[in-house]
Amino acid sequence: MSTTAIPVICLDGPSGVGKGTICLAVAGHLGWHILDSGSLYRITALQFSRLFPDMAANAVDEAQLVEMASNLSVSYRQINNELVIMLNEEDITQLIRSEKMGEKASQIAVIPSVREALLARQRAFLQAPGLVADGRDMGTVVFPESVLKIYLTASPEERAKRRYKQLKDKGIDVNLSALVEELRVRDDRDMNRKAAPLKPASDAIIIDTSTLNIEQVTDEVMHWVDQRV
Ligand code: DC
């Protein structure tokens, strides 16, 4: 089915900008499906680190990685404003959210054949009445014909502060300057890779969320939804 038949809203942007939360809120308002594309890279990273502990992504046989990404047995359940992710029979929702898995996912996402292997799987999320998709290349590569493309941005310092607060609230001890540095490294890799680098689509609306809370960002996105969808 063509991507114009069922509407897609793309939410792209760097790590820690709040795409996932906004994606769930917007999909909740509209009663649409969601695609958390980063989770697919994170799940591939999780499988990879279980099969090849201590091995760097670029040291492993690419064909093995591609086969792994192609054969993931994953299922998603959208329960109220939460996404529950199952790998085989295992609930991996929390497991894939670690900084370590984000970093590994970013390393794996550099490999063009892995991205290619995950492309059809991402497009298969497109179901009526509509899809809100979040990631890095939703508007540029995965759903270029989407009806609305939003690019969310915020400074690394602001994103790190938000992440710091989230982790502290969970009782996890972290260092703010280490978080800023990790985000910078990840931004740099995601923005400068050859395959589908993170960048706003030429027709994307850019929203700087640095001084906005979640409700304000959701309102701003919904304003554009009302105009375009
Ligand atoms: O959105 P996230 O933090 O869960 O994504 C983890 C990594 O996966 C991110 O650093 C880069 C990669 N990724 C990607 O390359 N393309 C996407 N559409 C989504 C994520």
Side-chain angles (χ1 to χ4, degrees):
M1 192 173 288
S2 115
T3 52
T4 47
I6 300 171
V8 182
I9 297 170
C10 296
L11 295 177
D12 286 304
S15 308
V17 78
K19 299 182 300 286
T21 311
I22 305 299
C23 183
L24 276 163
V26 171
H29 280 300
L30 295 168
W32 287 11
H33 301 279
I34 69 162
L35 164 61
D36 168 3
S37 62
S39 70
L40 289 168
Y41 291 92
R42 286 174 183 263
I43 296 163
T44 309
L46 174 69
Q47 281 286 63
F48 166 74
S49 55
R50 282 178 170 175
L51 286 174
F52 308 100
D54 307 322
M55 195 184 272
N58 59 5
V60 77
D61 178 21
E62 197 175 314
Q64 270 178 302
L65 257 182
V66 169
E67 197 186 318
M68 192 190 300
S70 310
N71 294 313
L72 293 173
S73 176
V74 211
S75 64
Y76 291 78
R77 266 182 297 147
Q78 216 167 306
I79 304 173
N80 302 323
N81 257 12
E82 303 247 351
L83 187 66
V84 177
I85 309 176
M86 307 289 292
L87 175 63
N88 302 313
E89 301 299 305
E90 182 187 1
D91 183 342
I92 52 153
T93 315
Q94 298 306 325
L95 208 54
I96 59 167
R97 295 290 162 214
S98 68
E99 304 306 305
K100 188 174 158 223
M101 229 31 89
E103 172 61 20
K104 264 208 180 329
S106 167
Q107 290 171 12
I108 281 174
V110 166
I111 305 168
S113 52
V114 173
R115 305 196 69 82
E116 189 63 33
L118 293 176
L119 201 55
R121 191 183 279 265
Q122 293 175 76
R123 290 187 175 142
F125 278 76
L126 184 56
Q127 283 179 28
L131 180 70
V132 188
D134 91 68
R136 305 290 186 293
D137 59 345
M138 298 297 98
T140 51
V141 175
V142 183
F143 300 110
E145 294 165 37
S146 54
V147 63
L148 177 63
K149 298 175 188 174
I150 304 273
Y151 188 90
L152 299 174
T153 179
S155 67
E157 288 77 12
E158 180 54 37
R159 288 181 278 133
K161 262 192 243 163
R162 292 175 189 169
R163 184 73 182 136
Y164 178 81
K165 189 174 176 313
Q166 271 176 358
L167 293 170
K168 280 275 174 193
D169 288 349
K170 283 189 196 164
I172 301 169
D173 203 22
V174 276
N175 175 306
L176 182 59
S177 48
L179 278 180
V180 175
E181 188 47 32
E182 279 167 26
L183 275 179
R184 283 191 198 285
V185 169
R186 198 127 77 86
D187 283 358
D188 185 55
R189 188 185 302 110
D190 293 347
M191 288 173 174
N192 294 308
R193 66 182 177 221
K194 288 208 173 66
L198 168 65
K199 63 174 181 194
S202 56
D203 50 349
I205 291 149
I206 298 177
I207 302 176
D208 187 338
T209 74
S210 298
T211 60
L212 304 177
N213 63 29
I214 288 168
E215 287 73 30
Q216 290 169 318
V217 181
T218 307
D219 286 351
E220 179 72 13
V221 174
M222 288 309 295
H223 160 79
W224 286 105
V225 172
D226 290 341
Q227 307 269 313
R228 299 272 181 94
V229 182

